[in-house]
Amino acid sequence: MSTPLLEVRNLARHFPAGERSWSGAPRQVLKAVDGVSFDLERGESLGLVGESGCGKSTLARTIVGLYPATSGTVRFEGTELTSLSRSAWRPYRRRIQMIFQDPYASLDPRQTVAQILDEPLRLFGMGRRRERRLRALALLDAVGLNPRHVNRYPHEFSGGQRQRIGIARALAGEPDLIVCDEPVSALDVSIQAQVINLLAELRERFGLAYLFIAHDLAVVRHLCERIAVMYLGRVVEVAGREALFRSPAHPYTQALLSAIPHPDPEVERTRERIVLTGDVPSPLAPPTGCTFHPRCPHRGAVPGNRCATEPPVLLTDAEGRQRACHLEPGS
Ligand code: SF4
């Protein structure tokens, strides 16, 4: 078997929180990401879904090296990234790019689009001035913006157009992997579909792999062939898109899916919805055992109070689906 493009193993990112003890040690630890593992193949698009605060964005930032990992590994084509020095990271900065949620905050308002796109091209040593200029124009064209607007400033564009500039900037270094951190959440619904279609088209054209983070399963449905569901810092289910939407195996995924409205009003009127009680617990004091157990409608079906005492392990079945739950499969 060939090496995956990205291999994440038991990755954790904890933050010290609250007051410190007399010895200087933090009294509390916020476990934003707590033992996440998955693979991503070259050219594949993996959706990572979960409610706000479940650790998705922290996971994304830890993978791209913006946060140091507390423990665990991130391998890119077999090279371990978490232990690399800043200078050793440099070649991977070009090959692993990120698109941020907020197209307003992620672009420098004092720079023209030409300057925004020239920065990574210069940093990665991609041609002389004139070649870089031509490349910037080609990038604008690739993301559906008018190359004649290259000397405009971000405030002269709409929200969707600014996100296209962010996508063009991510493409500048000809990456293999783009980590997309909720890239359409801040956009109007009508614009979201356009940006998702653009990302799908670019992936096809440039053979890109995406780790696509969203809080909405409906958003990843059109772009990702595999989906990982995250709850309170951990992955609870990973499955192919069709299998996940047809028969979600984890109680949390079942609840997330049941919240998506059905387009047929008749089906929508009669379908059963799973309403979760309570809020997502604080990662400062996660529940014992399965962290989903205080909200899980099935916890009573597992004998021996295991749900409250024993953390379920993410196990892989014969078809390659993964699930972390003590319930018997199919029950
Ligand atoms: Fe629910 Fe128990 Fe499964 Fe957790 S392990 S999802 S509490 S049934």
Side-chain angles (χ1 to χ4, degrees):
M1 267 175 61
S2 62
T3 308
L5 183 69
L6 184 74
E7 281 176 280
V8 176
R9 290 290 175 275
N10 297 317
L11 189 65
R13 172 60 189 161
H14 299 169
F15 296 93
E19 292 171 10
R20 293 187 176 260
S21 68
W22 61 269
S23 66
R27 287 189 197 275
Q28 284 184 296
V29 175
L30 190 149
K31 297 180 177 179
V33 176
D34 196 24
V36 168
S37 301
F38 64 85
D39 288 349
L40 181 66
E41 303 295 334
R42 185 170 284 279
E44 189 188 17
S45 179
L46 174 70
L48 185 68
V49 178
E51 289 163 284
S52 297
C54 74
K56 308 179 299 284
S57 292
T58 303
L59 176 63
R61 284 171 161 73
T62 310
I63 288 171
V64 302
L66 293 177
Y67 291 151
T70 303
S71 59
T73 58
V74 177
R75 289 201 178 85
F76 185 79
E77 290 183 336
T79 303
E80 196 346 41
L81 300 180
T82 60
S83 54
L84 292 184
S85 65
R86 273 176 85 91
S87 59
W89 239 103
R90 198 163 295 139
Y92 299 99
R93 292 248 170 270
R94 186 176 79 71
R95 300 185 60 196
I96 307 173
Q97 285 289 315
M98 190 157 173
I99 301 170
F100 295 90
Q101 177 179 357
D102 188 348
Y104 300 90
S106 65
L107 302 175
D108 185 339
R110 295 160 305 180
Q111 289 189 319
T112 64
V113 174
Q115 290 167 322
I116 289 168
L117 297 181
D118 189 58
E119 203 168 86
L121 293 170
R122 202 162 24 86
L123 195 72
F124 301 135
M126 299 178 79
R128 292 169 180 274
R129 200 186 168 105
R130 184 175 154 67
E131 290 161 324
R132 296 200 308 266
R133 175 84 177 178
L134 291 174
R135 173 94 182 120
L137 298 178
L139 283 168
L140 284 183
D141 188 49
V143 298
L145 291 175
N146 189 340
R148 284 200 308 236
H149 296 165
V150 72
N151 291 322
R152 292 189 178 181
Y153 288 87
H155 73 265
E156 297 178 74
F157 294 88
S158 68
Q161 288 173 326
R162 285 186 228 195
Q163 195 53 295
R164 286 172 190 261
I165 298 168
I167 295 169
R169 181 178 57 184
L171 288 174
E174 298 175 359
D176 298 285
L177 167 64
I178 301 186
V179 177
C180 309
D181 185 11
E182 304 235 22
V184 297
S185 310
L187 304 176
D188 291 344
V189 175
S190 57
I191 308 295
Q192 287 187 359
Q194 293 173 15
V195 173
I196 288 174
N197 288 342
L198 171 68
L199 287 167
E201 187 191 308
L202 294 170
R203 181 183 157 212
E204 186 81 18
R205 183 167 164 194
F206 299 117
L208 300 164
Y210 291 147
L211 176 61
F212 192 96
I213 290 167
H215 60 262
D216 184 350
L217 268 166
V219 168
V220 296
R221 185 172 200 163
H222 299 289
L223 195 63
C224 304
E225 52 268 318
R226 232 164 26 105
I227 297 170
V229 179
M230 213 171 153
Y231 186 78
L232 218 57
R234 294 182 187 172
V235 170
V236 296
E237 180 166 3
V238 186
R241 171 181 50 200
E242 315 306 337
L244 189 113
F245 277 88
R246 192 180 54 243
S247 57
H250 192 282
Y252 178 59
T253 317
Q254 290 162 1
L256 283 185
L257 271 175
S258 89
I260 301 177
H262 198 282
D264 181 338
E266 192 53 34
V267 179
E268 176 61 17
R269 200 172 55 77
T270 53
R271 80 190 173 91
E272 197 188 335
R273 286 198 59 180
I274 302 166
V275 180
L276 295 177
T277 52
D279 295 326
V280 181
S282 165
L284 275 172
T288 56
C290 171
T291 53
F292 185 56
H293 88 261
R295 305 172 78 198
C296 180
H298 297 285
R299 65 178 182 271
V302 178
N305 203 26
R306 280 177 79 200
C307 294
T309 56
E310 191 184 318
V313 176
L314 190 70
L315 297 175
T316 308
D317 71 11
E319 284 151 26
R321 287 183 71 151
Q322 294 178 293
R323 182 183 79 137
C325 177
H326 295 312
L327 270 182
E328 286 298 319
S331 58

